[in-house]
Amino acid sequence: VPEPFTMFEEFFKTTPGVYQKFRKGKSVFSEYIFGYLNETSINYNETELPGAFYNIFEKAVNRQLISDVPISLFLSGGLDSSSIAYAAVNSGANIKSAYTISFSKNDNKYDSQTSDIYYADKMAKILGLQLNVINAESDFLDLLPDLIPFMEDGLSDPAAINTYLIAKHARNEGVKVMLNGQGADEYLCGYRRYKAEMLILKMPMIAKSGIALLDKIIPNNVSGYFNAPIRRFKKFSNATLLGADSRIVSYFTWGGSAFIKNLFKSDYKCNPDQVLFDYLKSIDDLDIISKILLTDQKFDLMSLNLSYTDKMGMAVGVEARVPFLDLEMVTLMNAIPNRLKIKNGIQKYILKKAMEPYLPKEVIYRQKAGFALPIRSWFRQSNHMIEKYFDMNRIEQQGIFNTDSVKNLLTAQFSGKSDYSYLLFSMLCQQIWLEKQMGY
């Protein structure tokens, strides 16, 4: 739920980074206090920048290590968490353990993520850490009724479950502070959407038309090895013929605006894309890569990733720290030109160059993998959570959703015709929130 909104019509979140003064319940003064983070420039050339980047990064990690309680690490074996793990251990910090999530090869065949275990284990051995592996099981979904209240305004990312389980296991072993790698993707062009946008910007219209034609031929959903490549191709092809702002919105949404609108009863005014379009209009003077970066930072990082990480960690008494968002690091990353954030198709280019002297190249240049659970596998067929929370009598009694549209959504999902796994996960969390807050 993006700032300033909450799930309650009457309440709003305060604006982050703003000093506000109230008198008798009314705002009388406000001032943005972090403007300087965007007002610096760098004095390094491209050759010097990787070394300077690592020096500032190392100092940032050291600052985040200050603690009088046991510290551990989230370690996926990806570039970001591995960089933090290396800098932390290399500093001489008393870190003994790291944690990661694993799921079965059978579950992974629909999400097709590269396995974290190989890389996480490799980094743990290099750094002399005990790697604690939590095996993901479909009954993790049963945790949602207990987790939703901690989130306060709902969640739509299964990574929140990962964070909770890792933090809980660590806390049971005495850990009270954990470092993670959040923030690098949103400041250094780490997500696939940046590469997709760079391709689209260079693509002639005839190629875009050809891709759109190919999209109509390829089925919406296939099982096995080709599931992920086809799913990503179709999301890419759907974006190619859109205008710039519409493309950005498509990168950040699942299901499509018209489809989501149709899920609600006709008397509900619903425009799911409007917040994004309004924000993009407010930064219309920027180039498109800068607009995606700021949208990532405002919505994906602030409203989602940092929100669930903080709340799921604190649910069990673990403080999650994010060295990439150290103020000196943010100032540096803001100053790096976009051409050095993604160069020659290499995303997070400057971070990768900075870590080449310290990490194995197979870790630095491994395929991007999200901090996710195998939701597509778990939502291939109905389960007891779906049967309870998508019971049509319940849906009808709520008076919010169009029951026919919800039935069609479930039918398309379980027949394998379409993939609405993440949309269903979000709706499931919303249904649990409604039960907890409203009693239905």
Side-chain angles (χ1 to χ4, degrees):
V1 181
E3 281 76 1
F5 303 104
T6 69
M7 292 285 275
F8 294 95
E9 189 175 20
E10 300 87 352
F11 299 102
F12 296 90
K13 299 171 187 172
T14 55
T15 306
V18 173
Y19 167 78
Q20 291 185 305
K21 187 175 181 179
F22 289 83
R23 185 174 290 121
K24 295 182 179 180
K26 292 186 178 180
S27 176
V28 295
F29 179 79
S30 66
E31 180 184 16
Y32 184 58
I33 57 178
F34 291 109
Y36 70 91
L37 297 177
N38 300 304
E39 295 170 358
T40 58
S41 58
I42 51 176
N43 298 314
Y44 312 106
N45 61 38
E46 185 175 338
T47 304
E48 298 168 332
L49 187 55
F53 186 101
Y54 182 78
N55 289 337
I56 292 173
F57 172 68
E58 187 177 46
K59 286 192 293 181
V61 172
N62 286 343
R63 280 192 286 267
Q64 300 289 324
L65 287 169
I66 297 171
S67 174
D68 56 2
V69 295
I71 298 180
S72 187
L73 305 162
F74 289 83
L75 182 61
S76 68
L79 172 64
D80 307 334
S81 66
S82 296
S83 298
I84 288 170
Y86 175 84
V89 172
N90 191 57
S91 74
N94 185 26
I95 297 177
K96 305 295 185 186
S97 64
Y99 292 79
T100 196
I101 288 273
S102 172
F103 40 88
S104 72
K105 188 177 290 186
N106 187 55
D107 275 349
N108 189 39
K109 69 181 180 182
Y110 294 105
D111 285 80
S112 298
Q113 300 237 50
T114 56
S115 174
D116 283 342
I117 292 301
Y118 169 79
Y119 298 98
D121 186 59
K122 185 179 186 71
M123 284 304 305
K125 287 176 179 174
I126 289 172
L127 298 173
L129 298 171
Q130 176 188 332
L131 182 65
N132 299 283
V133 180
I134 299 161
N135 296 308
E137 303 291 346
S138 59
D139 61 5
F140 282 8
L141 294 176
D142 293 340
L143 294 170
L144 288 173
D146 293 327
L147 300 188
I148 295 294
F150 288 115
M151 284 300 297
E152 299 176 303
D153 57 6
L155 63 92
S156 60
D157 192 331
I161 305 175
N162 292 5
T163 303
Y164 171 81
L165 288 167
I166 286 177
K168 183 180 179 183
H169 278 71
R171 187 67 180 85
N172 288 342
E173 294 174 12
V175 172
K176 294 184 179 180
V177 173
M178 299 189 74
L179 271 56
N180 73 46
Q182 287 184 340
D185 286 321
E186 293 86 356
Y187 278 89
L188 298 173
C189 299
Y191 295 117
R192 289 186 180 92
R193 46 183 160 263
Y194 294 97
K195 201 167 187 177
E197 185 58 31
M198 295 296 284
L199 286 171
I200 290 171
L201 289 173
K202 296 176 182 177
M203 194 178 292
M205 182 54 69
I206 189 169
K208 293 179 182 179
S209 301
I211 285 174
L213 185 64
L214 186 61
D215 177 67
K216 294 178 181 178
I217 300 170
I218 297 174
N220 287 327
N221 199 25
V222 295
S223 60
Y225 178 80
F226 292 103
N227 178 275
I230 287 177
R231 185 179 70 247
R232 290 166 189 157
F233 170 79
K234 293 187 80 69
K235 193 168 180 68
F236 173 75
S237 65
N238 290 334
T240 53
L241 296 176
L242 297 175
D245 283 1
S246 295
R247 279 205 308 277
I248 296 175
V249 169
S250 76
Y251 298 146
F252 285 87
T253 55
W254 291 98
S257 180
F259 185 88
I260 292 171
K261 281 183 184 180
N262 193 47
L263 289 172
F264 291 87
K265 284 187 174 289
S266 58
D267 56 343
Y268 272 83
K269 292 180 180 178
C270 174
N271 195 341
D273 297 342
Q274 195 58 49
V275 173
L276 278 168
F277 276 116
D278 288 346
Y279 178 68
L280 292 170
K281 188 176 181 180
S282 74
I283 54 173
D284 210 30
D285 57 323
L286 300 178
D287 66 272
I288 194 163
I289 296 298
S290 296
K291 290 175 80 170
I292 300 174
L293 281 165
L294 287 177
T295 306
D296 253 329
Q297 291 160 25
K298 178 173 173 59
F299 294 94
D300 201 62
L301 180 61
M302 184 172 70
S303 300
L304 179 65
N305 293 341
L306 293 179
S307 178
Y308 75 67
T309 300
D310 181 48
K311 292 175 181 178
M312 292 295 96
M314 292 311 297
V316 294
V318 168
E319 177 190 346
R321 295 183 181 176
V322 281
F324 277 107
L325 298 180
D326 171 274
L327 295 182
E328 191 176 4
M329 275 300 299
V330 170
T331 303
L332 173 65
M333 292 189 293
N334 278 336
I336 295 171
N338 291 344
R339 62 181 176 81
L340 295 180
K341 294 179 179 180
I342 179 168
K343 181 178 179 180
N344 299 327
I346 300 174
Q347 298 170 263
K348 293 192 283 196
Y349 174 82
I350 207 68
L351 172 59
K352 290 176 179 177
K353 288 298 177 184
M355 296 310 301
E356 278 187 352
Y358 311 107
L359 299 181
K361 284 199 172 183
E362 64 176 325
V363 170
I364 296 174
Y365 292 99
R366 66 174 284 200
Q367 182 183 332
K368 171 70 178 172
F371 184 52
L373 288 173
I375 292 298
R376 290 187 175 88
S377 178
W378 296 353
F379 279 79
R380 292 294 292 176
Q381 56 190 16
S382 188
N383 55 55
H384 66 282
M385 294 287 283
I386 291 283
E387 289 168 4
K388 175 181 177 179
Y389 288 102
F390 287 85
D391 175 79
M392 289 306 139
N393 290 327
R394 172 195 289 266
I395 300 289
E396 188 65 42
Q397 188 177 10
Q398 289 171 352
I400 300 169
F401 298 101
N402 183 324
T403 52
D404 288 339
S405 297
V406 176
K407 284 179 186 176
N408 291 338
L409 170 67
L410 294 170
T411 299
Q413 174 71 18
F414 299 140
S415 68
K417 181 181 177 182
S418 299
D419 174 23
Y420 295 119
S421 306
Y422 276 78
L423 184 58
L424 276 172
F425 178 80
S426 185
M427 290 181 71
L428 173 62
C429 292
Q430 190 177 52
Q431 287 296 308
I432 296 169
W433 187 92
L434 285 167
E435 180 185 59
K436 294 286 185 181
Q437 294 289 341
M438 309 298 179
Y440 56 68

